[in-house]
Amino acid sequence: MSAVLFDVPGPKARTRNVYLNTVTVIVVVGIIGFILFRFYESGQFTAQKWEIFTFPRVQEMFLTVIGTTLKAFAVAAVGSLVLGIILAFGRLAEAKWLSLPCYWFTELFRAVPLLILMMIMYYGLPSVGVKGITPFIAVVVGLILYNGSVLAEVFRAGIASLPKGQREAGLAIGLSNGQVLRTILLPQAVRAMLPVIIAQLVVIMKDTALGSLITYNEILYYATFLGSQGQYGSPVVPGLMVAAVIYVGLCLILSGVARYTEFKMSSRVKVVKAKAGIAG
Amino acid sequence: MNVLLDNSQLFIDGFKNTGILFIFSAFFSLILGTIVAGMRVSPAPAMRAAGTFYVNSVRNTPLTLILAFFALGYPKLGLPEISFMNAAIVGLSLYTATYVSEAIRSGINTVSVGQSEAARAIGLPFMQTLTLIVLPQAFRSVVPPLFSVFIALLKNTTVAAGFSVLEAGSIRATLSDLGEPLLPGLLWVALIFVLLVLGILSPLQRYLEKKWKVAR
Amino acid sequence: MTNPAHAPALVELKAVNKHYGALHVLQEINLEVAKGEVLVVIGPSGSGKSTLCRTINRLETIDTGSITIDGKELPKEGKQLANLRADVGMVFQSFNLFAHKTILENVTLGPIKVKGMSKPDADKLALSLLERVGVGHQAAKLPAQLSGGQQQRVAIARALAMKPKVMLFDEPTSALDPEMINEVLDVMVELAKEGMTMVVVTHEMGFARKAADRVIFMADGQIVEEATPEEFFTNPQTPRAKDFLSKILTNG
Amino acid sequence: MTNPAHAPALVELKAVNKHYGALHVLQEINLEVAKGEVLVVIGPSGSGKSTLCRTINRLETIDTGSITIDGKELPKEGKQLANLRADVGMVFQSFNLFAHKTILENVTLGPIKVKGMSKPDADKLALSLLERVGVGHQAAKLPAQLSGGQQQRVAIARALAMKPKVMLFDEPTSALDPEMINEVLDVMVELAKEGMTMVVVTHEMGFARKAADRVIFMADGQIVEEATPEEFFTNPQTPRAKDFLSKILTNG
Amino acid sequence: GGGDTAGGGSDGGGGDAAGLSFEVAKDVALTGSPTFDKIKSAGKIRIGVKEDQPGLGFLDAATGERSGFDIEIARWMAASLGVAADKIDFKAIPSANREAALANGDVDLYVGTYSINDKRKKLVDFAGPYFITGQGLLVAKDNTTITSEKDLDGKKVCSATGSTPFQNIKDNFPKADAISFDIYTKCVEALTSGTVDAVTTDQAILLGYASQNPDKLKVVGEPFTVENYGVGLPLGDTALRTFLNTTLTDGNATWTKIFDATLGKSGTKVEQPKVDQY
Ligand SMILES: Nc1ncnc2c1ncn2[C@@H]1O[C@H](COP(=O)(O)OP(=O)(O)OP(=O)(O)O)[C@@H](O)[C@H]1O
Ligand SMILES: Nc1ncnc2c1ncn2[C@@H]1O[C@H](COP(=O)(O)OP(=O)(O)OP(=O)(O)O)[C@@H](O)[C@H]1O
Ligand SMILES: [Mg+2]
Ligand SMILES: [Mg+2]
């Protein structure tokens, strides 16, 4: 990775690295230690503030709100991928009447803050008489419009980054433009862009937390609610800590699953190799 | 139009604070992000690990939560008191710095290995290889993604609305209390963001991108 | 222009012009390729060889003039254009195998999707073609697992699977390691012997001498010279051709 | 191993071994290059030619064995390593000119930053070198504005500007269009005549015949054969060399 | 729209924290009220409440019990309509969504520190008022510098973003430093960690917080505005409004019982306000 920059370290460089390593470890441990110590000093780790997390009802509720977060994530993720592919195809179309609106659509929805988009859905539309906009709908539609536009750009860039020859080779054997796009370009673009797509999925997961600001009852909303529990010492900071751990955990699991898929895809090469070994 | 004109002071104050949040956060995240990027390409494994840990943990945490920590957790650290505006700036900077560092790091990686090998082959030591050859070229491929990061930052400032910074994102709450029509109000907010992004930042990004593409 | 094979023209370019902005890449090109003829196109970099090749299956459009294949004008778009392209095989300098599909899938894709062939039939056809170009036992691998020479031979098989009337080769060996060039040229010589109509952009004199019926030399978008390989290499007529040959013949 | 030039060895590799994971890319390599000698390295793709070349200025480290230049062991790092590298010029297959600097700046960078030469002196030196490789009038352009052949000649000038004791060339012409190969080879032949010590990885027989003192043939990380160019090309000893030569010599 | 209950769906109705029970009316005769017709055919009532305001509308996260003055008022109203306590679906609705929730029919009634004002009267109807309060101040127990709204100069005063009390501070106390969070809980948290000097909103709400944490917090001064809490109902359902107003007017004893069992525990004595049949 950093082979771009560095020579293989010699003995002196190795000594210097040991020194740098030590300093880094001391600084990092120092910072984390200080934060934990101060939280401890200011009573954030008292039994009273953490007692609430021991109640089965609270634990169940955490499972429930993880569920609502995942529900919003799953629907938004699928919706964004679908919208992204449709918009990307639209933008790549030769017909201007199709590609231009798709272009403006993606530009527009990437320019509006997601929170404002959710507010327009949730507060704005009902104020002019649109009925049935639940927080779930506002969160999911907002996420889809925004991330679909972002993913459209990702797919388009992925297709554009493929060697020109791939498209030409497809055309040269008589495939139509649409066939080339579907069977040759898109599968390769998805593969090439998989890390970016995964990063965007993690963004969707994180952005479900914006739902808490428009009263969607997800993890952060519930964690904040627990802060109102005065009889348990108003555990605001502990609530945030628990929420942070859950979010980081969910995002890491998501990245892990995605990496596994990526590995599976690339290990197709190995499977193929093995098969070829038997055949040849 | 009425909502905008009747509440012009509200919109002006809101977007002024959005601007302050944006400019300071952009500045600090650029500095911090560069340092973290440096750590992540450093030859010392612990520095790389620390940089990676920071980026991975912060990038996987919702911004809303990070800002909440700064508004509510920071006062418990016993450090000098800071205003909520500054707390929001710190939170936004820490969050955005992870994206800045990734943009810079991937920019460094776009410079072909051959460039630094050629530099080393004529006898340039590490620092000069970095400063004379790699960074100047990396910079060109860093600027476009960096702009995207800053566009995201501009939009992310709205999240600070929940944390005692009266910026564009909090205009809704005030309008709502004033009994003003909400949809037009929100659409105005959206429109102003669209103008800021599509009217200023994106063209600037395209301009720089083009300028440096030619120079290459 | 003369047509040494005296057979009816399969590919015919008449007064073809093409610009890239101010650059006049193809200037009044007239060219006929007879059925079964092997034409080698030679010339310095940027002279328009690739462009010429690519106009013949309309990967590039032309500004004026006409191009006909088997007497029919090139269709402008849609299904007809796709069908025309299926009739014109093309082999690229950079192989361009579909990176996400196996060797076998690369070859069967066209027959299945374009000709509507059944999968078993397509597999049989593909395997026989892969066998013919000498990579039959690699059918299950992905392109990246093959050497450049093998990839290029697969690309030839892929084009042949469409049963094309004419094959275009754009510098098919110039991206290859030297020791792999001949394995590709051998396949091409074989093809030429079997009577395939071929247009080949190449600097490989060995191939031209062995297989070409005619050589054309291009410079600055024009066909400057046209001759049999023997004539051309031993006795070029124009100064430009002489200069070019002197540059490429002294090495090796 | 014999040293046909019988001069004191400028570059000396003793029992050099290198692995990439399980792959043993360099196996017990012993090699001497005398002052003023021109050594051509030849061999199939993946045989370790580039790796050999790159170990000589420590762009790659070695596992065991020793490499000395002018009698001094290769330094491990730091200033000494940088100085050693300034003494060993290197020319890459892909030119690797600094894309953001002008041709002149590409050449003057080393003399100014490494040797501490003044800018006017460096400019003068650079211009004379650029003149010598035939691109003097391009000094103000950026690399992307030059043809491949011109870029590679600038890369040679850049290496020469450091007044190296030995020059390494790793397939310097294999990324070039055929008509540009000779303009680069001519510069290299010139250099050889002037007595530069050179290690050249190449498949250009013309150059080897004209300029090489000695040819080594590598396969699978070993030096399999070693001879004068005449001996090697007309009468290779090992079956591997014979096979390899038969593959690359029939074309062209 | 409307948020689901943070404390665990809508099963919180069974709990009876304050130990109160209301006589469930039988054979309620109420015609011309579409809301009531809906309640009757569904066999249950949906009531929007707050759940993060101790003493008023509060949900105990550990037990799932709802408690507070507003909650009891809601149960009383339900009982008067013939709906038993276990047939009440409580839904937590934040302030910003109250009008929409009533307009969309997500809830039948809303009982949660809902101030009656002309602006809102255009969007919803109000029964009541059932309680009168006004803007007050919550400060740290050991704070001696702030005793009333006159001491706010240069002080950090926290309230909910965009709320009326917040606007009031900004407009009428320009020398005070107005701070805002999306919810009061965060303001109270900032107060206990000393980041702000005072929290301001309806005194009834502040009393709830003070009673939850009497060692650290206290309410100071007198209310300096007037807020009338009403029961929100869908706009135009005059029959229901009249019915609930009658219940309130006739039920002074019940009202007093509710007050004594909730807000009155702190010792304050307040009279039931007269309903305003506008
Ligand atoms: N898409 C394009 N847009 C603009 N100019 C182009 C384009 N494609 C090719 N050209 C220019 O047209 C000229 C002819 O290109 P072409 O690729 O046909 O040459 P060629 O003879 O095949 O050269 P080579 O041997 O390098 O492949 C060149 O100057 C090239 O730069
Ligand atoms: N950084 C690396 N990591 C792992 N394997 C490598 C690395 N560099 C080279 N190799 C492998 O080492 C072997 C020798 O490579 P090398 O580049 O020296 O061969 P070469 O003789 O120069 O071949 P070519 O003619 O293709 O340039 C090859 O099998 C190559 O794949
Ligand atoms: Mg070409
Ligand atoms: Mg090599």
Side-chain angles (χ1 to χ4, degrees), chain A residues 4 6-7 21 44 110 206, chain B residues 41 76 99 116 120 155:
Chain A
V4 190
F6 303 105
D7 275 315
N21 282 341
Q44 297 309 313
R110 286 190 306 153
K206 284 194 300 178
Chain B
V41 298
K76 311 228 179 308
Y99 290 86
S116 77
R120 278 187 262 157
K155 296 187 292 167

Side-chain angles (χ1 to χ4, degrees), chain D residues 91-146:
Chain D
V91 176
F92 302 85
Q93 174 177 355
S94 47
F95 329 144
N96 290 342
L97 293 185
F98 303 132
H100 61 306
K101 295 200 175 289
T102 64
I103 297 309
L104 187 68
E105 287 165 353
N106 261 278
V107 182
T108 57
L109 187 74
I112 293 174
K113 297 286 173 181
V114 179
K115 304 229 148 160
M117 199 181 277
S118 75
K119 190 163 158 20
D121 287 356
D123 281 355
K124 231 173 77 189
L125 170 68
L127 281 172
S128 79
L129 285 170
L130 288 173
E131 213 55 68
R132 184 165 145 201
V133 299
V135 286
H137 54 292
Q138 316 268 29
K141 290 191 183 167
L142 285 173
Q145 297 169 276
L146 265 58

Side-chain angles (χ1 to χ4, degrees), chain C residues 20 23 25 43-52 170-171 203, chain D residues 177:
Chain C
Y20 281 124
L23 186 71
V25 264
S45 178
S47 55
K49 309 181 296 295
S50 297
T51 309
L52 177 71
D170 189 4
E171 306 205 28
H203 292 116
Chain D
D177 283 324

Side-chain angles (χ1 to χ4, degrees), chain C residues 19 27 33 37 40 53 55 59 65 72 79-80 95 102 107 131 146 170 191 196 205 217 226 232 237 245 249:
Chain C
H19 294 78
Q27 305 180 20
V33 185
E37 189 184 4
V40 160
C53 219
T55 55
L59 284 176
K72 284 193 290 285
K79 200 76 204 129
Q80 296 95 313
F95 329 144
T102 63
V107 182
E131 212 57 68
L146 266 55
D170 189 4
L191 214 54
M196 175 61 78
M205 305 304 140
F217 175 74
E226 173 167 9
F232 180 74
Q237 300 298 310
L245 285 176
L249 287 180

Side-chain angles (χ1 to χ4, degrees), chain B residues 32-92:
Chain B
L32 183 61
T34 310
I35 295 172
V36 175
M39 287 172 71
R40 293 203 68 184
V41 298
S42 125
M47 282 186 104
R48 283 206 299 271
T52 309
F53 172 76
Y54 168 67
V55 170
N56 281 349
S57 51
V58 172
R59 261 166 85 109
N60 285 320
T61 311
L63 174 62
T64 329
L65 243 171
I66 290 173
L67 291 181
F69 264 119
F70 273 89
L72 303 171
Y74 177 86
K76 311 228 179 308
L77 293 179
L79 295 172
E81 210 178 293
I82 56 174
S83 72
F84 287 104
M85 177 69 124
N86 290 344
I89 289 174
V90 175
L92 281 168

